[in-house]
Structures are given as C-alpha cells and as structure tokens.
Amino acid sequence: MRLDKYICQATSLTRSQAKKVISQGRVTNGTNTIRNTTYKVTTNETIFLNDKALSIRGPRYIMLNKPQGYICSTVDEQLPSVLNLLDVEKRKQLFIAGRLDADTTGLTLITDDGQWSHQITSPRKKCAKRYRVILADELTEDASIQFQQGIQLKSENQPCLPASLINISNTEVLLTISEGKYHQVKRMFAALGNHVTALHREKIGEIELDPTLQLGEWRYLTDIEVQSIA
Ligand code: URA
C-alpha cells in the first residue's frame, strides 16, 4: 500500500496531512527516512511516525478487482483463492462478502466483519449488485421488461425479484440484481435462451469498483464506503 494511504489508515490524519508529515521527514521505516508519498509499504515493514510505530487495527474492509482464474473461497481448491492476491499477513480471518464465479471479474469485497458482510449477503437485505454483461446473442427488445417482471430460473419455484437492465449495445448490458442466487446472472440470461460470455461486477450497494485498480489489485475501503453498507 502507498505510504500516504497507510498513514491515513493507521492514524487520524487526512491524506494531505499524511503527505505533509512525510515531506517533513517525520516518517521512517526504522532504518531510513521516507520522503516519497508513493513509497510502497510491505507487510514485513514497520512504519514510524515521529519515532512511534504505526499499525492498522480494527476490522478490515477491502475491495479487490478480481481477475479470472481465482475462486471466492478462503482456501485454494482446484483454483487459487482470491485471498492469495492479498499480502500473506492480511489473509488471517478474512472472508469474501458475496462470491463471484471463477470466470467472473470485478468488485469483490473482503472483510473480517461478519455483521457488515451480512448486510451484503443476506437475501432479506436485498443489497443491489451491478454487473456488466457481454452476451453471445443479441437481446430481444422486450428483455428489459422481462427482467423487470422477474425472470423464472430453471429449477426454482419463485421468479427472480425485478432486475434493472440498461442496454449499452445489442450484446452488452448493465444488469442490477438484488439477490445472490447461485450463478444467477448466467442463469437469468440462459432462461432467455442467451449465453453470458463475460461477466464483470462493477458495484455493490453504493460501493463502485475503483477504476484505478487493475485486475488483481486491491485497496482498503474508505470510511464513507464502509458506512454506506448499513
Ligand atoms: N452471477 C453469476 O452467474 N456469476 C457470478 O459470478 C455472479 C453473479
């Protein structure tokens, strides 16, 4: 993590105050004074501010831009867990709030706060999730109405809750659903005789995937993002 961000997380300083203390030469790693705000803090390192060791405490809330080929499980199975993309020390007690398939990319929230995670995953909370979907075939004109009315999935008794569909092109859409049934998005389009060729989650509740995060990169959530899940 960048040094200025690390200082923000470990203290009550704002980003500009963190930059200031760095430029004033008040930050060291025990050996050297670090004056570069973009310096990457590693997990093996202790950072000192005014000779006092800093650490990040409390519940952790992380957003990760999941690449394909990783699973949303805390342990490796046939494929590696997304937790492998975090530093080793950080993985302890973390779990994933809302799973994605191995071939799905995008916004993945990781935390050690069970109650917070429950707000995202509990069916009763109806937390909205927005996906960018690429389809094999062109959508019919009435697709958006069908999604609004509730798609009937194969082997389910009840139709899905109303979902919102925005067309980007004939084969690319933004779909917002407020449930998390197994393979739900793929099964919804399969129910219409279509096939999802690429799936990317962009938003959970009010939390949008940070566009500066490349696939495989992560950052801590801001306080505002954490508090937006209530
Ligand atoms: N729906 C799916 O079909 N797959 C995902 O990964 C997420 C939602």
Side-chain angles (χ1 to χ4, degrees):
M1 190 190 323
R2 273 174 64 130
L3 180 61
D4 54 353
K5 268 193 188 178
Y6 182 91
I7 291 176
C8 289
Q9 301 253 349
T11 69
S12 55
L13 296 183
T14 62
R15 182 69 78 88
S16 59
Q17 289 168 332
K19 285 185 171 157
K20 195 166 172 193
V21 294
I22 296 167
S23 66
Q24 287 169 337
R26 291 159 61 189
V27 177
T28 75
N29 63 359
T31 320
N32 300 312
T33 300
I34 312 168
R35 290 179 188 272
N36 178 2
T37 53
T38 66
Y39 176 86
K40 287 264 186 290
V41 180
T42 67
T43 46
N44 308 326
E45 219 169 14
T46 306
I47 297 296
F48 296 82
L49 171 61
N50 300 331
D51 296 325
K52 198 171 150 241
L54 301 181
S55 65
I56 293 179
R57 285 187 223 96
R60 290 165 294 166
Y61 306 93
I62 289 168
M63 78 158 70
L64 168 81
N65 187 359
K66 179 189 169 301
Q68 286 190 332
Y70 286 84
I71 51 169
C72 287
S73 157
T74 51
V75 289
D76 298 347
E77 291 168 22
Q78 287 91 342
L79 290 168
S81 155
V82 285
L83 297 186
N84 287 290
L85 297 163
L86 308 178
D87 307 351
V88 175
E89 194 184 283
K90 297 219 160 27
R91 289 184 212 160
K92 288 179 207 146
Q93 291 161 0
L94 287 172
F95 52 86
I96 296 112
R99 292 172 171 228
L100 291 178
D101 298 337
D103 59 354
T104 302
T105 56
L107 179 60
T108 306
L109 297 176
I110 300 171
T111 184
D112 51 8
D113 181 340
Q115 276 191 327
W116 188 84
S117 166
H118 182 73
Q119 306 296 319
I120 294 169
T121 55
S122 165
R124 279 194 289 135
K125 303 290 175 187
K126 298 190 175 64
C127 176
K129 288 123 194 151
R130 190 178 79 211
Y131 294 87
R132 185 172 292 266
V133 190
I134 310 291
L135 296 160
D137 301 313
E138 291 189 5
L139 275 176
T140 54
E141 277 185 7
D142 64 344
S144 154
I145 295 168
Q146 289 182 279
F147 274 92
Q148 255 166 41
Q149 287 173 344
I151 301 282
Q152 179 63 53
L153 300 181
K154 224 172 154 184
S155 351
E156 298 277 347
N157 296 329
Q158 301 282 332
C160 294
L161 293 177
S164 135
L165 189 77
I166 297 173
N167 281 43
I168 307 293
S169 75
N170 288 339
T171 55
E172 181 174 354
V173 294
L174 296 178
L175 176 70
T176 303
I177 60 174
S178 48
E179 299 163 285
K181 293 189 203 302
Y182 183 63
H183 293 328
Q184 180 162 343
V185 175
K186 292 173 186 164
R187 288 165 71 207
M188 285 171 118
F189 286 99
L192 301 186
N194 210 321
H195 177 70
V196 172
T197 58
L199 187 56
H200 181 75
R201 187 159 63 195
E202 297 186 337
K203 194 171 177 189
I204 297 177
E206 291 305 313
I207 303 176
E208 298 219 36
L209 179 61
D210 184 332
T212 67
L213 291 180
Q214 302 300 310
L215 285 169
E217 290 185 343
W218 61 274
R219 69 160 169 80
Y220 286 107
L221 297 189
T222 63
D223 287 348
I224 291 171
E225 286 168 334
V226 172
Q227 284 151 20
S228 75
I229 301 287

